[in-house]
Amino acid sequence: MFGRSLYAVFAVVAVTATGCGGGQESYTSIVDKAKTEKKLVIGVKADQPGLGLRTPDGSFTGFDVEVATYVAKQLGVEPSGITFKETVTANREAFIEQGQVDMVVATYSITDARKQKVSFAGPYFVAGQALLVRADDTALTGPEALNGKKLCSVAGSTPAQKVKTEYAKEVQLQEERTYSACVDRVLGGQLDALTTDNVILAGYAAQHAGKLKVVGEPFSTEKYGIGMKKDDTNGRKAVNDALEKMFADGSWTKALQASVGSSGFTVSQAPQLERY
């Protein structure tokens, strides 16, 4: 009797341990989880109009969401099997490393520093840094005009520091947790400008038509990638293959036009994949 009870205890512990593994920790690759569970948790932004935005009913819309949904389908996961989880710039690597998400599709620029922590597929889009200012501001025409001005960006992002280092040493940098918080402060007059990628800013300008505008020619190159667990070689290849198909069958152009075309942003050509 004792032996049978002890076996039952071990069985319960084993099942519990397996259940707690949840997410990608139990799998070598995102490909395996998608194939086995038919479910994925995907990190997206929740406050970027046209790219990743949480709607009043709790669902997510935007170009990044469309890309994520397409890629997941190619991996064998239907939209009903996707759980979208809000990420902000500062926690994307941590969410991947901790297994809170299986991949991140959130205006996530591919950089050498980030490659030390996560793997990237893509790029699936190439943006350029610009400025968002109030519509009646005629003085701020580009980054060189920011000396003495208050510039906002988000924690964990590098655009504002780039402006200070390369264009306007006297600019006053302000950090917020999210871009939408920066937008609110620019609208309220507490800050003069927000800097990040032009496609992100175009969404905010469209959301606040007549109150905000995008200025300055793009002064950087930001390659958006899909982040996943470090050294997930199979996952990176599978996601790249999915993106290649999305580029080729017209789905990429259709999704981009539907998401940001109305903002006045010029829809570009699909980028070249970098299969490292």
Side-chain angles (χ1 to χ4, degrees), residues 212-234:
L212 296 172
K213 63 182 178 181
V214 180
V215 298
E217 292 298 318
F219 50 94
S220 72
T221 299
E222 308 296 334
K223 299 177 179 180
Y224 293 169
I226 296 179
M228 63 200 82
K229 190 169 61 175
K230 176 71 173 168
D231 298 327
D232 183 359
T233 304
N234 289 340

Side-chain angles (χ1 to χ4, degrees), residues 10-27 36-37:
F10 281 137
V12 171
V13 170
V15 170
T16 303
T18 302
C20 289
Q24 64 189 58
E25 292 179 10
S26 304
Y27 298 93
T36 303
E37 294 191 11

Side-chain angles (χ1 to χ4, degrees), residues 38-97:
K38 302 297 183 183
K39 294 180 181 180
L40 288 174
V41 181
I42 303 177
V44 294
K45 292 290 181 73
D47 67 336
Q48 293 181 350
L51 294 165
L53 185 70
R54 194 200 312 271
T55 63
D57 67 4
S59 62
F60 289 83
T61 64
F63 179 61
D64 282 352
V65 176
E66 293 299 317
V67 170
T69 302
Y70 186 98
V71 168
K73 181 73 176 288
Q74 296 305 306
L75 295 179
V77 178
E78 297 294 330
S80 59
I82 300 173
T83 298
F84 286 111
K85 184 179 179 71
E86 179 184 355
T87 61
V88 297
T89 298
N91 66 19
R92 290 175 297 198
E93 286 89 34
F95 273 23
I96 293 171
E97 292 175 322

Side-chain angles (χ1 to χ4, degrees), residues 130-131 133 137-146 193 213-217 219:
L131 300 175
V133 302
D137 190 329
T138 57
L140 289 180
T141 55
E144 300 87 351
L146 283 166
K213 63 182 178 181
V214 180
V215 298
E217 292 298 318
F219 50 94

Side-chain angles (χ1 to χ4, degrees), residues 172-206:
Q172 300 175 45
L173 302 184
Q174 304 283 327
E175 275 194 347
E176 293 289 346
R177 183 173 178 270
T178 63
Y179 289 118
S180 55
C182 285
V183 169
D184 289 342
R185 297 194 69 191
V186 173
L187 282 168
Q190 296 93 5
L191 299 177
D192 299 298
L194 159 63
T195 186
T196 189
D197 305 337
N198 51 1
V199 66
I200 298 174
L201 299 181
Y204 288 123

